Amino acid sequence: MNRPASAKILGTGMFVPERVMTNEDFARIVDTNDEWIVQRTGMKERHIAELGQASSDLAVEACRRAIENAAVTPEDIDLVICATITADNVLPSTACWIQDRLGCKNAGAFDLTAACSGHLYALSQARATILSGQARTVLVVSTECLSKITDYSDRNTCVLFGDGAGAAVVQASDTPDTGIIYTTLYADGSGGELMLLPGGGSRRPPSHETVDARQHYMQIRGREVFKFAVLKMEELIDECLKECGLQTSQVQLVIPHQVNTRIIDAATSRMGFPPEKVFLNIHKYGNTGGASVAIAHDEARRQGLLGPGDVAVLIAFGGGLTWAGAVIKH
Ligand code: ACO
């Protein structure tokens, strides 16, 4: 069995639906305003899927762009990993819909659930699978239609979320010390209630009662999540730097989960990163869950912010609770 020296990101892509919802749009449906949302979250707009548009529809477009950017063919893909909490269906997996529509005839496919940490969990699995010699080329896609599980009568949560997908083609390389050089994953299920979608699973199957009680929407305890998020983002950056023997000055870009500018600012500034080294697109997309880091990474690459040899630290946290980090040498 051929075990490669590294797992490199060959290409990335992203896709968001056309329809945009602005802060002013929210002010028309709940008691909120542009000033509150911008000051407390940094968000201005989010893209929202149409009624019949599902997570796989966004994912397929993002994957096509990543495959083109990587200059590979669908037949080259050995494995499709889809990170999502808004699967098209409970059965089959969204990864299988994607595999079929892209024509990845030689690939296995599975879904992975780690909420907003999903993309980094998936990149970690892609890297491990490649380094073990089980696959040569892995397509990672993180896709969410969070609008479908958002309660638009709850001002505390509805302004936060948007829809979108981001993808990366990861491939075996014989060059050491390049590509995804480090990943780290954590979970603490005791905090599961902090971000919860109570209805629709095997605990509370769908029924008239679960619908009437609005249990098919996310319930978030934002204030408690806030402190946890700042702490974990800080710890993740610290660990990534230490484990890879990096100084702050050797990192070109921190790419955080686009959850809230105040959380991101607090964690990155405490770790000594100036704002110009922290990638932000939260004003355009809001929080797109697992897709957030994937979209941000693709945009940073396309904006030319990550040249050959540049190091990026990707960090995320989310429901579960889960949190995860990755260091990528471009
Ligand atoms: N417009 C106006 N006022 C609002 C809105 C709104 N959209 N939402 C809440 N408020 C009010 C609250 O009702 C509260 O009023 P009260 O004091 O009269 O009760 C007041 O604003 C302050 O509420 P807080 O919850 O203290 O506001 P905070 O500054 O913590 O910001 C936020 C809330 C944005 C949710 C923040 O806590 C946050 O970003 N938390 C972490 C992120 C998070 O949980 N994201 C979602 C899930 S994470 C993931 O990625 C899966």
Side-chain angles (χ1 to χ4, degrees):
M1 190 187 294
N2 176 26
R3 288 179 199 262
S6 63
K8 206 166 161 48
I9 294 191
L10 285 192
T12 56
M14 63 157 281
F15 181 79
V16 289
E18 208 171 310
R19 184 152 75 99
V20 170
M21 246 181 121
T22 64
N23 291 348
E24 288 74 20
D25 293 330
F26 281 99
R28 277 181 224 115
I29 57 172
V30 288
D31 181 14
T32 190
N33 57 72
D34 178 59
E35 195 189 355
W36 190 96
I37 301 172
V38 171
Q39 276 180 8
R40 299 293 186 110
T41 71
M43 297 171 189
K44 293 285 289 179
E45 297 181 344
R46 330 87 193 114
H47 291 250
I48 304 293
E50 300 300 330
L51 213 55
Q53 206 171 21
S55 291
S56 72
D57 299 328
L58 313 187
V60 164
E61 293 306 322
C63 288
R64 286 201 175 117
R65 293 172 189 188
I67 286 171
E68 189 186 334
N69 185 240
V72 297
T73 68
E75 290 82 6
D76 292 327
I77 309 287
D78 300 315
L79 180 63
V80 179
I81 306 177
C82 175
T84 187
I85 57 164
T86 47
D88 291 23
N89 310 90
V90 174
L91 179 74
S93 71
T94 303
C96 281
W97 291 128
I98 296 166
Q99 174 271 336
D100 177 54
R101 282 173 61 191
L102 291 173
C104 299
K105 289 184 287 210
N106 304 311
F110 69 90
D111 283 2
L112 174 159
T113 303
C116 304
S117 314
H119 194 64
L120 300 185
Y121 264 68
L123 285 181
S124 177
Q125 291 312 297
R127 173 178 183 255
T129 308
I130 288 169
L131 292 184
S132 73
Q134 280 190 66
R136 189 175 143 68
T137 308
V138 179
L139 177 61
V140 168
V141 57
S142 302
T143 183
E144 301 291 9
C145 283
L146 294 178
S147 63
K148 315 275 181 175
I149 55 168
T150 295
D151 185 348
Y152 284 98
S153 68
D154 175 14
R155 72 171 181 175
N156 290 292
T157 55
C158 70
V159 300
L160 302 174
F161 300 106
D163 301 335
V169 175
V170 190
Q171 194 172 67
S173 164
D174 291 329
T175 311
D177 193 35
T178 186
I180 308 167
I181 58 172
Y182 182 72
T183 60
T184 183
L185 311 179
Y186 291 98
D188 177 4
S190 72
E193 303 268 334
L194 293 180
M195 291 177 245
L196 182 70
L197 197 156
S202 58
R203 178 74 60 199
R204 287 182 218 173
S207 65
H208 289 295
E209 287 72 30
T210 60
V211 171
D212 290 345
R214 308 186 81 77
Q215 289 180 347
H216 295 273
Y217 297 125
M218 285 181 283
Q219 298 174 356
I220 311 270
R221 304 221 299 256
R223 214 173 294 184
E224 288 160 72
V225 176
F226 196 100
K227 291 179 213 145
F228 162 83
V230 174
L231 180 71
K232 293 305 168 194
M233 279 197 167
E234 234 183 287
E235 285 177 8
L236 284 166
I237 297 174
D238 191 45
E239 177 185 330
C240 286
L241 295 181
K242 282 195 178 122
E243 290 296 324
C244 296
L246 291 164
Q247 304 295 320
T248 308
S249 60
Q250 293 171 293
V251 174
Q252 194 63 29
L253 208 56
V254 176
I255 303 180
H257 171 39
Q258 305 291 308
V259 56
N260 184 317
T261 40
R262 287 183 297 143
I263 293 176
I264 295 169
D265 288 349
T268 53
S269 63
R270 269 194 247 172
M271 289 306 300
F273 283 96
E276 62 272 19
K277 280 199 165 191
V278 180
F279 190 84
L280 286 180
N281 59 13
I282 191 169
H283 54 289
K284 294 192 288 184
Y285 306 121
N287 177 353
T288 56
S292 146
V293 174
I295 291 172
H297 186 215
D298 176 62
E299 284 204 330
R301 286 177 88 244
R302 280 187 295 116
Q303 288 172 18
L305 300 177
L306 293 164
D310 283 346
V311 172
V313 174
L314 284 59
I315 49 169
F317 75 92
L321 302 168
T322 57
W323 58 106
V327 181
I328 301 174
K329 206 176 208 181
H330 290 81

